[in-house]
Amino acid sequence: MDSLTKHALVHLRRVYPRGTRIDSSNMNVLQFWRNGSHITSLNWQTYDKSMQINEAMFVGSNGWVLKPAKQLGLGETMTGRLRLVVELIGISSCE
């Protein structure tokens, strides 16, 4: 698990449910968010515990939450400002 968490410090990771499942259940989003995954795919047809946690975290927000300082490689606490540099590789419009 440590190597997976360290990988997430420098790489974006999306998580999808197993492709062979036949029900509409959602995976445990907390398990994947805790190991540093950035995006977890959810089935919006099922309003289960994972969907409720997702809604509680992101409703009324910009759709993202800053990772804890430890996962950002800043130790246990973060002081001051943090500069974020992003390189966009692709983007699309829904219009």
Side-chain angles (χ1 to χ4, degrees):
M1 188 61 75
D2 287 337
S3 62
L4 188 61
T5 304
K6 287 178 185 176
H7 181 269
L9 292 174
V10 293
H11 299 284
L12 181 66
R13 183 171 52 242
R14 296 178 290 178
V15 181
Y16 299 97
R18 180 178 290 173
T20 58
R21 67 188 180 97
I22 57 173
D23 62 357
S24 295
S25 63
N26 284 312
M27 54 194 164
N28 180 2
V29 293
L30 290 177
Q31 173 186 356
F32 296 101
W33 286 338
R34 285 184 188 135
N35 70 27
S37 297
H38 300 83
I39 301 169
T40 56
S41 178
L42 292 170
N43 180 356
W44 283 54
Q45 295 172 338
T46 305
Y47 193 68
D48 58 3
K49 186 177 180 179
S50 289
M51 278 298 297
Q52 293 172 32
I53 291 170
N54 184 71
E55 184 175 337
M57 282 193 68
F58 299 110
V59 72
S61 74
N62 292 329
W64 62 274
V65 174
L66 186 63
K67 286 184 179 185
K70 188 172 184 178
Q71 284 188 344
L72 290 172
L74 302 172
E76 292 295 326
T77 59
M78 186 173 84
T79 58
R81 290 185 165 192
L82 176 68
R83 182 180 175 107
L84 175 65
V85 178
V86 178
E87 178 183 348
L88 288 177
I89 296 174
I91 192 165
S92 63
S93 174
C94 295
E95 292 182 32

